Amino acid sequence: MGAYYGKTGTVVWDASAGDETIDTVTNWSIAATCDVADAADMSQTYHVFYAGFKDWTAIVETNLPTTGLEVPITAGVDEALGEHTPAKLELWTDDVSTEVLYGSAICTDITVAVSFDAVVKATYTFQGTGTLAWSTTEPSYA
Amino acid sequence: MAAFHGKSGTVTWDTTETQANVLSWTINATVDMAEITDMGDTVKTYVAGFKDWTATIEIETDSSGVLIGTSSILTDFGTAKALVLNDGNSTISGTGYLMGFSINTSLDGIVTHTLNIQGNGALS
């Protein structure tokens, strides 16, 4: 068991419709949270919490390829955001250890940044809807 | 399929006014999310709502004045016009309001101005 490098990570969007790999990813991150409700009352000295709903979001940063935006692969910004039906998002940490975080998500934010002294960047933000799963094998979809 | 540099990017305002001295531009497109989680769920669930977009353009100000396209920013402030953003490879366009601007002057740097555009309607 050891640490490993992130350079072979991959991202797959709309995975249930086929392996639509997002190319030229430079980094991705996922944030999973859990609401907590404070149950402290006047008799206590410390806060006491109860767990509520879980939630998750993901951010995928890319160098924009010359073929254009990839969410979805063949459409532009406006059409991408028009995908109101959640799609399967797979975030692979590594192509060797086959560890993957996956779930249904909606692409809620696309940012394209162009600067005279840098490569063109595209960043996608996903709002998870429903369960986030972790697997060490290829996810299968019904 | 390869990454590419941003140095060939362009900005056009009001259909034909080419923006000079652009340093960078950014477009941010979003969709509202409405939560539909209810009792009995364990994880939050959402449905998508309205789409929206904004753009920011950073410009090196020159002696021609503080311009958007070839127009004074004070003339077009609060006005919606056609905006075309090209990254040197492809184009994103829509109609947007010049809803804000800032002029940035420093003792040790060039003068720049930043334009904030609020999209009004669809991107294409």
Side-chain angles (χ1 to χ4, degrees):
Chain A
M1 182 185 301
Y4 56 98
Y5 215 94
K7 64 182 180 181
T8 55
T10 56
V11 177
V12 182
W13 170 242
D14 202 11
S16 58
D19 287 336
E20 301 284 10
T21 301
I22 297 179
D23 294 304
T24 59
V25 174
T26 56
N27 61 77
W28 63 257
S29 61
I30 195 162
T33 60
C34 181
D35 293 344
V36 289
D38 191 347
D41 58 41
M42 293 177 183
S43 67
Q44 292 163 325
T45 54
Y46 283 87
H47 284 288
V48 177
F49 296 96
Y50 290 107
F53 294 114
K54 291 174 277 188
D55 196 12
W56 61 279
T57 58
I59 297 174
V60 178
E61 295 181 17
T62 70
N63 292 328
L64 182 64
T66 52
T67 47
L69 291 163
E70 297 195 83
V71 178
I73 304 298
T74 56
V77 171
D78 197 43
E79 293 172 64
L81 289 165
E83 289 228 318
H84 287 190
T85 303
K88 294 293 184 185
L89 177 67
E90 296 179 358
L91 300 164
W92 293 80
T93 61
D94 180 294
D95 65 358
V96 175
S97 60
T98 60
E99 293 177 329
V100 59
L101 290 152
Y102 67 100
S104 291
I106 296 171
C107 182
T108 60
D109 187 309
I110 298 175
T111 298
V112 176
V114 181
S115 174
F116 76 99
D117 60 355
V119 297
V120 177
K121 297 282 189 180
T123 302
Y124 307 101
T125 302
F126 298 91
Q127 172 64 60
T129 182
T131 304
L132 177 66
W134 173 274
S135 178
T136 55
T137 59
E138 183 86 29
S140 60
Y141 303 107
Chain B
M1 184 182 303
F4 59 103
H5 208 279
K7 63 185 179 182
S8 300
T10 60
V11 175
T12 304
W13 176 248
D14 196 14
T15 308
T16 58
E17 297 182 14
T18 301
Q19 181 73 56
N21 307 323
V22 177
L23 294 173
S24 68
W25 62 256
T26 302
I27 190 164
N28 180 239
T30 61
V31 61
D32 294 340
M33 302 297 291
E35 188 179 336
I36 56 171
T37 312
D38 54 34
M39 294 177 184
D41 291 333
T42 55
V43 181
K44 292 183 181 181
T45 52
Y46 299 87
V47 292
F50 293 111
K51 293 174 281 185
D52 196 11
W53 62 276
T54 59
T56 302
I57 305 158
E58 184 186 19
I59 298 155
E60 186 180 311
T61 310
D62 67 17
S63 55
S64 304
V66 184
L67 304 178
I68 179 169
T70 56
S71 303
S72 163
I73 55 170
L74 292 178
T75 301
D76 281 0
F77 187 34
T79 301
K81 293 186 175 178
L83 176 68
V84 179
L85 301 169
N86 186 289
D87 60 17
N89 183 64
S90 59
T91 295
I92 298 171
S93 61
T95 298
Y97 283 92
L98 174 60
M99 52 81 73
F101 61 85
S102 60
I103 301 170
N104 318 299
T105 305
S106 168
L107 66 87
D108 58 356
I110 60 172
V111 176
T112 63
H113 59 284
T114 303
L115 308 174
N116 298 315
I117 307 294
Q118 172 62 59
N120 188 41
L123 281 172
S124 58

